[in-house]
């Protein structure tokens, strides 16, 4: 262990790393429940998503542990799953076609990991748009949670309105949200997971949650339930680009944030960045072939770092715990079927993702408006791709109008033109 993970060199020990692994797992274990709950709304079989979520998390996290030796866990990212459902609902395509788009994005990401283009792309996109994309996805997720809980319902006159709090399931979601908020406010480790657990217990004793059995053998593996040809026949190029861009921003930003916290950065750079990014790209590719959305580095890894996690031993423990959870699909399926249990986690995760907006120069219109446009368009159009497109069009446009065209990277002008053409000739894609 010492030689493999360089524990002494990193100023840690086996006991600390194991505790950190359990802490990280508890804070992100909600994804095992939430991901199948969301994707099953798009018609993907529950067991398929459950298995794909765990296997992609295990594969990505093991690469991170054994090759990069970082305490940063990988799993299917939030927001990408909600986007998946919106594409199936609005584009009239099967979930197999969207999995085809996910696989293409994963393969491109894998190729970019070994080139300089990934760094060039990251440098070209201004911080304001990066923060805007993350925040827009956060609102998108929170809106999904509000709909799932029944707190927000459709309304013909105003599009949406406040739901009926006296409805038993909505009331349970409110209680679950309040319990989880208190746990988060008190800085309780694993607050989201514990909140779901408490809500599930209340649901069980009030007759809303029905559990037949707790454990069983893992569900069968389903390979290549996807349609790559459909991506081209339906012109879902923007979907591929959206998955690619968000995965790049999300992962890189999270890795840098957690690495800074763990004092792993050297001269402002992340050593072994290629190994860390490969973990994410491989997990995304594997997940797509099995039935899950793109994987990402998890910001919840910071909870493990906070209790002393410094090496890949932390993430090795996380991977082992994910593997163990494979044997609990019946109870996960039961919990996922009651959306009041998972909705509070979505609402709170959404709020976490808005933090970057504090870094926006709101008094500089050419910086503020493109960010605002990205943030507002994602939830209101139910499309992450549309939000990204609007941001990439308005940012260079406003910079040119303000005489600051030199501040815009040439790649951004190229993307702006591509998105304008896409909106004209492939609206809604």
């Amino acid at each position: 262990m010492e030689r493999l993970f360089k524990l002494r060199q990193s100023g840690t020990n086996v006991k600390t790393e194991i505790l950190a692994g359990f802490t990280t797992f508890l804070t992100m274990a909600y994804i095992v429940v939430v991901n199948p709950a969301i994707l099953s709304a798009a018609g993907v079989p529950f067991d398929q998503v459950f298995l794909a979520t765990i296997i992609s998390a295990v594969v990505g996290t093991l690469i991170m542990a054994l090759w990069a030796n970082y305490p940063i866990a990988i799993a299917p990212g939030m927001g990408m799953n909600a986007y998946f459902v919106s594409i199936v609902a609005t584009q009239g395509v099967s979930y197999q076609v969207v999995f085809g788009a996910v696989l293409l994005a994963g393969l491109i990401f894998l190729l970019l990991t070994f080139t300089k283009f990934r760094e060039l792309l990251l440098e070209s996109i201004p911080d304001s748009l990066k923060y805007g994309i993350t925040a827009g996805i956060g609102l998108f997720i929170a809106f999904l949670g509000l709909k799932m809980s029944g707190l927000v319902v459709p309304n013909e006159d105003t599009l949406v309105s406040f739901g009926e709090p006296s409805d038993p399931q909505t009331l349970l979601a409110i209680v679950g949200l309040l319990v989880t908020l208190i746990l988060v406010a008190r800085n309780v480790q694993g607050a989201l997971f514990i909140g779901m657990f408490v809500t599930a217990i209340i649901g069980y004793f009030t007759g809303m949650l029905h559990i037949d059995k707790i454990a069983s053998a893992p569900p069968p593996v389903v390979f290549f339930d996807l349609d790559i040809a459909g991506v081209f026949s339906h012109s879902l190029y923007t979907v591929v680009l959206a998955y690619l861009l968000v995965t790049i921003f999300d992962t890189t930003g999270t890795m840098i944030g957690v690495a800074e916290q763990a004092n792993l950065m050297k001269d402002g750079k992340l050593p072994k960045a290629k190994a860390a990014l490969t973990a994410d790209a491989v997990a995304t590719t594997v997940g797509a072939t099995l039935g899950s959305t793109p994987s990402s580095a998890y910001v919840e890894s910071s909870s493990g770092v906070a209790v002393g996690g410094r090496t890949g031993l932390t993430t090795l423990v996380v991977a082992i715990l994910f593997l163990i959870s494979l044997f609990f699909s019946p109870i996960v399926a039961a919990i996922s079927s009651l959306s009041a249990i998972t909705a509070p986690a979505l609402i709170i995760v959404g709020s976490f993702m808005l933090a970057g907006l504090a870094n926006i120069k709101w008094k500089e219109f050419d910086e503020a408006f493109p960010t605002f446009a990205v943030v507002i368009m994602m939830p209101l159009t139910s499309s992450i791709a549309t939000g990204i497109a609007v941001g990439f069009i308005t940012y260079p446009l406003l910079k040119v109008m303000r005489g600051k065209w030199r501040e815009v990277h040439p790649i951004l002008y190229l993307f702006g033109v591509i998105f304008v053409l896409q909106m004209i000739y492939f609206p809604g894609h």
Side-chain angles (χ1 to χ4, degrees):
M1 286 289 184
E2 166 59 43
R3 191 176 301 170
L4 179 62
F5 296 108
K6 300 174 183 170
L7 300 180
R8 197 173 296 119
Q9 189 180 321
S10 303
T12 184
N13 56 57
V14 173
K15 182 183 173 185
T16 301
E17 294 288 299
I18 290 174
L19 175 65
F22 269 89
T23 304
T24 295
F25 176 76
L26 281 175
T27 57
M28 64 185 288
Y30 67 87
I31 194 63
V32 176
V33 181
V34 172
N35 207 38
I38 292 174
L39 291 189
S40 56
V44 192
F46 176 89
D47 281 351
Q48 185 178 339
V49 186
F50 175 75
L51 190 79
T53 301
I54 291 172
I55 292 178
S56 54
V58 169
V59 168
T61 304
L62 279 178
I63 294 172
M64 188 70 78
L66 303 175
W67 189 18
N69 193 27
Y70 284 151
I72 303 170
I74 301 281
M78 288 298 297
M80 294 291 88
N81 41 21
Y83 179 40
F84 187 100
V85 177
S86 75
I87 297 164
V88 173
T90 60
Q91 304 289 337
V93 297
S94 67
Y95 70 80
Q96 286 91 346
V97 172
V98 191
F99 277 139
V102 175
L103 179 61
L104 289 175
L107 291 171
I108 296 167
F109 188 33
L110 198 53
L111 289 172
L112 292 181
T113 301
F114 298 101
T115 69
K116 290 285 182 190
F117 182 75
R118 180 187 54 79
E119 290 171 29
L120 186 66
L121 186 63
L122 278 169
E123 288 167 11
S124 72
I125 296 165
D127 288 342
S128 56
L129 287 185
K130 290 175 188 171
Y131 291 130
I133 289 166
T134 304
I137 293 171
L139 277 186
F140 191 10
I141 292 170
F143 186 50
L144 182 70
L146 290 167
K147 286 196 292 184
M148 285 170 59
S149 65
L151 283 168
V152 168
V153 294
N155 182 305
E156 278 190 24
D157 299 323
T158 58
L159 294 181
V160 291
S161 60
F162 190 57
E164 186 52 67
S166 60
D167 178 83
Q169 291 209 20
T170 304
L171 188 59
L172 178 62
I174 292 169
V175 172
L177 181 61
L178 291 173
V179 168
T180 313
L181 284 172
I182 291 165
L183 292 169
V184 171
R186 299 291 299 171
N187 292 319
V188 175
Q189 296 290 356
L192 295 179
F193 184 80
I194 296 167
M196 286 169 64
F197 182 72
V198 171
T199 312
I201 289 173
I202 297 169
Y204 180 77
F205 284 108
T206 53
M208 284 183 269
L209 176 63
H210 307 285
I211 299 173
D212 298 322
K213 57 179 180 176
I214 293 172
S216 72
V221 179
V222 178
F223 275 119
F224 295 104
D225 183 21
L226 45 79
D227 178 5
I228 294 175
V231 178
F232 299 98
S233 62
H234 289 91
S235 305
L236 296 183
Y237 309 117
T238 317
V239 174
V240 175
L241 185 63
Y243 272 131
L244 180 63
L245 290 178
V246 174
T247 306
I248 290 173
F249 302 152
D250 200 30
T251 294
T252 310
T254 300
M255 281 185 190
I256 289 169
V258 177
E260 283 276 15
Q261 186 190 356
N263 296 318
L264 299 171
M265 301 289 283
K266 301 283 187 287
D267 301 320
K269 293 185 178 178
L270 184 65
K272 293 188 285 189
K274 192 170 285 185
L277 285 158
T278 302
D280 190 6
V282 171
T284 293
T285 309
V286 169
T289 63
L290 294 169
S292 184
T293 41
S295 292
S296 174
Y298 258 62
V299 73
E300 284 82 355
S301 304
S302 59
S303 63
V305 169
V307 296
R310 291 295 179 272
T311 74
L313 180 53
T314 293
T315 33
L316 178 63
V317 172
V318 174
I320 291 168
L321 291 171
F322 267 117
L323 268 178
I324 292 169
S325 66
L326 263 179
F327 297 90
F328 295 94
S329 62
I331 193 164
V332 172
I335 289 170
S336 297
S337 67
L338 183 58
S339 57
I341 298 171
T342 49
L346 294 179
I347 296 165
I348 294 169
V349 169
S351 75
F352 291 158
M353 295 175 76
L354 296 176
L357 294 180
N359 301 306
I360 304 298
K361 298 168 185 171
W362 289 109
K363 291 185 179 178
E364 295 182 22
F365 187 71
D366 51 341
E367 290 283 328
F369 185 82
T371 307
F372 164 76
V374 172
V375 172
I376 200 76
M377 289 300 282
M378 283 189 188
L380 293 186
T381 62
S382 295
S383 171
I384 289 171
T386 301
I388 291 173
V390 171
F392 276 56
I393 292 167
T394 54
Y395 187 87
L397 177 67
L398 291 179
K399 286 293 182 183
V400 169
M401 291 299 106
R402 292 288 291 268
K404 300 179 181 178
W405 60 272
R406 288 187 185 87
E407 291 181 13
V408 182
H409 197 285
I411 287 180
L412 219 59
Y413 288 116
L414 175 64
F415 273 122
V417 172
I418 290 170
F419 280 127
V420 168
L421 293 172
Q422 175 256 319
M423 284 189 154
I424 294 169
Y425 294 107
F426 303 105
H429 287 282

